[in-house]
Amino acid sequence: MNTIKPEYINIIASSKLFDGISSDEIEGLLPCLSAIEQNYKKDSYIYQMGDTTTKIGLVISGCVHLVKEDYWGNHTILSEVMPGEFFGEAYACLKTESLTISCVATEPTTILFLDIQKIITICTSACSFHTRLIQNLMMVIAQKNVLLTQKLDHISKRSTRDKLLSYLSAQATKQHSNTFTIPFNRQQLADYLSVDRSAMSNELCKLRDQGLLTFQKNSFTLSQLSMTELD
């Protein structure tokens, strides 16, 4: 294992994967997980569709988008992975299953790769923090399944307008405020919702003109009035 920078330990410790495991325990655990740190430039591929892997990637700094690409190069953003979050665990568990998505660094990004077999296999000493690590992994996988279900709820709406309102409503609820920011620019939001960017921008303007919301870049404020009151 290459030496992990001390300033990265706090980021690793903040990850749900290492919840309940102390910084000292993490430092002792990383060599057992064959941890390897790698850096990526903006827009570079970490994994490409068709790759196989036995490692999960924990984002230390930067940002990763999980992207679905079709034959013609069209992109759909499935999710965004921020520092402290990880990706690739499903494919790593399956070992020989080819990725049906690509993982792309959206800015200069540092990834800590961990061997999935070393995570899910209890070491000979059966240390309590390794057991906790496995429990954490299962918990995060379950949470990701919930998030995927939420996304399917957004993109299953019939119109671009309904997809936007579904997503923005969910963000307001998640952030406990009618004023909130989203993690996407316009193109990324269109990709995430699987809609045309121009059509989406037109719908946003219509929603603004109807008094349902206001926006500035990736900051939104939803009207306190209901759509029935605005009709």
Side-chain angles (χ1 to χ4, degrees):
M1 184 198 81
N2 55 346
T3 302
I4 304 301
K5 296 179 181 178
E7 60 266 30
Y8 289 163
I9 295 297
N10 288 337
I11 298 294
I12 298 170
S14 71
S15 171
K16 292 181 180 179
L17 182 62
F18 290 93
D19 183 47
I21 303 174
S22 71
S23 297
D24 289 342
E25 289 170 333
I26 289 172
E27 289 192 65
L29 187 57
L30 290 179
C32 296
L33 304 180
S34 300
I36 299 175
E37 174 193 329
Q38 292 188 12
N39 298 308
Y40 295 87
K41 297 179 180 179
K42 179 181 178 180
D43 296 329
S44 60
Y45 283 90
I46 299 165
Y47 292 133
Q48 283 188 281
M49 185 173 62
D51 289 346
T52 59
T53 183
T54 59
K55 300 179 183 300
I56 67 172
L58 175 64
V59 179
I60 301 298
S61 64
C63 176
V64 174
H65 278 179
L66 307 186
V67 179
K68 184 72 173 180
E69 301 171 298
D70 66 17
Y71 179 81
W72 296 275
N74 298 310
H75 292 69
T76 299
I77 298 174
L78 301 179
S79 63
E80 181 177 61
V81 189
M82 301 299 291
E85 299 174 343
F86 60 92
F87 60 94
E89 66 282 355
Y91 294 100
C93 286
L94 295 173
K95 296 182 184 179
T96 59
E97 185 74 18
S98 297
L99 274 73
T100 59
I101 60 172
S102 294
C103 308
V104 184
T106 62
E107 59 186 85
T109 297
T110 299
I111 305 294
L112 185 70
F113 288 101
L114 307 169
D115 189 320
I116 191 69
Q117 290 302 313
K118 298 291 182 64
I119 293 177
I120 64 177
T121 303
I122 296 291
C123 54
T124 54
S125 59
C127 51
S128 60
F129 51 84
H130 200 144
T131 301
R132 182 60 183 267
L133 185 68
I134 296 173
Q135 293 172 339
N136 290 345
L137 176 64
M138 298 303 297
M139 180 67 70
V140 176
I141 289 175
Q143 291 172 340
K144 287 187 175 184
N145 283 335
V146 171
L147 292 175
L148 179 58
T149 300
Q150 292 173 347
K151 177 176 180 176
L152 289 174
D153 184 48
H154 303 325
I155 65 175
S156 65
K157 306 300 182 186
R158 290 183 178 274
S159 68
T160 298
R161 173 190 173 95
D162 289 342
K163 289 179 181 181
L164 277 168
L165 290 175
S166 177
Y167 174 74
L168 295 174
S169 174
Q171 288 297 305
T173 301
K174 178 181 179 180
Q175 299 183 42
H176 306 290
S177 174
N178 69 313
T179 297
F180 54 88
T181 59
I182 65 173
F184 302 129
N185 61 32
R186 289 290 181 271
Q187 185 60 59
Q188 291 167 345
L189 179 59
D191 290 342
Y192 178 81
L193 294 176
S194 298
V195 297
D196 177 77
R197 176 180 174 176
S198 296
M200 184 193 73
S201 295
N202 287 337
E203 287 297 334
L204 281 173
C205 291
K206 289 179 183 178
L207 290 168
R208 180 194 60 198
D209 295 343
Q210 291 169 1
L212 279 171
L213 55 79
T214 58
F215 57 85
Q216 178 65 35
K217 294 185 178 180
N218 67 335
S219 178
F220 290 80
T221 299
L222 301 188
S223 171
Q224 298 287 359
L225 298 175
S226 68
M227 284 186 282
T228 301
E229 291 174 303
L230 289 169
D231 287 339

